[in-house]
């Protein structure tokens, strides 16, 4: 039996750590998993990217590494987000092609979809119009992965595909209020407000709706994609539409998990971002009709508990 060598870029981040956790309990003899961090190679450098591929000789690649950030980081640095992600993606795809990688799975994001669209969004709608202007640099760079996958497949026969997760959260997230995403940012705020006896502040009205996926659920789905999924077209990895929740409801779940009893303030002068980004997981459900997602409340409690236990070393 030929051995798979699966190289995971961004292996020390939220999703990479999730995959590591799941793989540790689902080891297969014919698979070797290698999790890269930024210490192993600067993927903005073509030379370093090719060197790390030469070192490990992967047969399969999960490409998670990216310059990422929340709404406010994106709004102020669109050029950086576009240039760095384009460079990194190009290096990974070309290295995968040159090293005859059998399957490459890249990670996109639901923010790549058009701002003006009908809901729920699905895999056929990625290129139907411009993305939301708050993070257009990141969104266009991620969209180009889908374009590159199709081009490499058409010209070279490469099995390069991608997944589109909804909002991911869980242990090992970036809990920085300005750079991180909504759930880890709110967890950090709740922890500090409880510790300091201050008000808990939510940016915006709390009314936007989001689908959230727990990092360990996403990890299981990523592993399924590497092992089983054979389409070049992307697949949305999202919870069911019925599981969509408002930012306000998420904040209340976090406060409950933190046992916070203080004052709650909504800073309505701050931007809400897109009101909704509802994604259809019908394609995923066609393949995996029985897959069970961890309920958001339970996953938030697990993430809060992890953050409290690892507060001194957590990214923030």
């Amino acid at each position: 039996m030929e051995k798979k060598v699966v190289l995971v870029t961004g292996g020390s981040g939220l999703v990479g750590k999730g995959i590591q956790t799941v793989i540790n309990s689902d080891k297969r003899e014919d698979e070797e998993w290698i999790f890269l961090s930024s210490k192993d190679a600067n993927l903005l450098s073509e030379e370093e990217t090719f060197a790390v591929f030469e070192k490990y000789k992967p047969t399969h690649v999960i490409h998670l590494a990216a310059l990422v950030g929340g709404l406010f980081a994106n709004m102020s640095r669109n050029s950086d987000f576009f240039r760095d992600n384009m460079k990194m993606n190009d290096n990974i795809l070309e290295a995968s092609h040159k090293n005859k990688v059998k399957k490459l799975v890249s990670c996109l994001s639901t923010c790549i979809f058009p701002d003006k669209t009908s809901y729920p969004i699905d895999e056929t709608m990625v290129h139907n119009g411009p993305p939301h202007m708050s993070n257009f640099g990141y969104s266009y760079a991620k969209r180009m992965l889908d374009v590159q996958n199709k081009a490499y497949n058409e010209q070279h026969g490469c099995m390069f595909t991608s997944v589109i997760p909804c909002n991911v959260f869980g242990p090992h997230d970036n809990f920085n209020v300005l750079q991180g995403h909504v759930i880890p940012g709110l967890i950090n705020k709740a922890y500090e407000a409880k510790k300091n006896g201050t008000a808990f502040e939510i940016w915006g009205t709390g009314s936007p709706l989001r689908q959230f996926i727990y990092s360990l659920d996403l990890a299981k789905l990523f592993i399924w994609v590497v092992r089983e999924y054979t389409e070049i077209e992307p697949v949305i990895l999202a919870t069911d539409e019925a599981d969509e929740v408002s930012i306000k409801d998420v904040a209340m779940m976090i406060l409950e998990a933190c046992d916070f009893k203080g004052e709650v303030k909504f800073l309505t002068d701050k931007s809400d971002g897109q009101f909704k980004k509802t994604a259809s997981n019908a394609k995923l459900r066609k393949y995996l009709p029985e897959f069970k997602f961890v309920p958001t409340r339970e996953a938030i409690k697990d993430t809060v508990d992890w953050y409290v236990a690892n507060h001194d070393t957590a990214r923030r």
Side-chain angles (χ1 to χ4, degrees):
M1 191 184 294
E2 193 180 350
K3 193 170 191 179
K4 280 185 190 147
V5 179
V6 188
L7 185 73
V8 183
T9 74
S12 62
L14 167 66
V15 183
K17 286 288 190 187
I19 294 173
Q20 222 167 331
T21 301
V22 174
I23 280 296
N24 285 340
S25 61
D26 182 24
K27 285 200 167 111
R28 293 193 179 180
E29 284 183 14
D30 65 334
E31 291 177 352
E32 179 187 354
W33 289 74
I34 295 152
F35 294 86
L36 295 185
S37 75
S38 53
K39 295 187 187 79
D40 296 295
N42 174 12
L43 300 178
L44 291 171
S45 157
E46 186 175 353
E47 189 181 345
E48 288 192 36
T49 305
F50 273 73
V52 88
F53 271 69
E54 180 58 36
K55 179 179 178 181
Y56 292 111
K57 297 182 169 48
T59 61
H60 295 67
V61 175
I62 294 179
H63 177 36
L64 304 174
L67 176 65
V68 295
L71 175 64
F72 296 92
N74 271 291
M75 284 169 75
S76 60
R77 295 175 59 203
N78 270 301
S79 178
D80 290 346
F81 278 88
F82 182 76
R83 294 188 68 240
D84 284 2
N85 285 302
M86 286 293 290
K87 269 188 211 167
M88 205 182 299
N89 297 342
D90 193 55
N91 289 339
I92 291 294
L93 270 73
E94 184 63 6
S96 295
H97 162 51
K98 287 283 162 61
N99 287 272
K100 297 182 169 52
V101 165
K102 290 180 179 171
K103 187 190 277 187
L104 164 67
V105 182
S106 293
C107 190
L108 310 186
S109 160
T110 47
C111 73
I112 70 175
F113 284 100
D115 181 33
K116 304 271 192 296
T117 189
S118 55
Y119 293 96
I121 45 187
D122 66 41
E123 293 86 353
T124 66
M125 299 158 73
V126 170
H127 303 286
N128 284 1
H132 194 266
M133 290 312 290
S134 62
N135 59 353
F136 71 89
Y138 178 79
S139 300
Y140 274 120
K142 285 291 188 182
R143 271 191 197 188
M144 286 304 106
L145 274 166
D146 180 51
V147 174
Q148 288 174 293
N149 285 345
K150 287 168 183 165
Y152 272 98
N153 176 254
E154 186 184 292
Q155 188 173 336
H156 303 293
C158 299
M159 179 58 223
F160 292 177
T161 188
S162 58
V163 301
I164 310 174
C166 60
N167 297 272
V168 196
F169 71 97
H172 303 281
D173 209 336
N174 180 356
F175 292 82
N176 183 292
V177 171
L178 289 173
Q179 294 172 349
H181 287 99
V182 59
I183 287 182
L186 289 173
I187 289 172
N188 184 347
K189 282 186 182 181
Y191 181 94
E192 295 300 322
K194 182 180 178 181
K195 185 177 79 175
N196 300 322
T198 53
F200 174 74
E201 296 181 338
I202 301 169
W203 289 0
T205 64
S207 58
L209 299 170
R210 292 290 181 269
Q211 285 156 294
F212 292 99
I213 186 168
Y214 189 38
S215 57
L216 297 184
D217 283 341
L218 181 59
K220 290 172 188 170
L221 294 173
F222 249 110
I223 295 162
W224 166 76
V225 170
V226 168
R227 290 172 177 166
E228 310 290 342
Y229 185 71
T230 56
E231 295 185 40
I232 302 297
E233 295 292 333
V235 59
I236 290 171
L237 304 182
T239 48
D240 301 318
E241 289 169 52
D243 297 327
E244 200 169 42
V245 288
S246 72
I247 301 300
K248 181 182 178 183
D249 286 346
V250 162
M252 295 307 136
M253 290 177 197
I254 290 167
L255 295 182
E256 180 186 306
C258 290
D259 195 31
F260 178 84
K261 308 289 190 200
E263 183 188 2
V264 178
K265 283 184 183 171
F266 289 87
L267 305 184
T268 53
D269 59 323
K270 302 279 188 187
S271 170
D272 270 337
Q274 281 174 278
F275 176 68
K276 65 188 288 180
K277 300 194 284 188
T278 316
S280 167
N281 68 0
K283 184 174 181 178
L284 173 67
R285 283 297 187 199
K286 187 182 77 178
Y287 284 104
L288 299 174
E290 303 301 318
F291 187 86
K292 287 189 170 52
F293 291 95
V294 176
T296 304
R297 187 182 299 274
E298 183 184 327
I300 283 176
K301 178 74 171 85
D302 288 348
T303 307
V304 166
D305 290 349
W306 182 90
Y307 181 67
V308 170
N310 295 275
H311 179 262
D312 292 347
T313 54
R315 284 188 295 160
R316 62 182 192 281

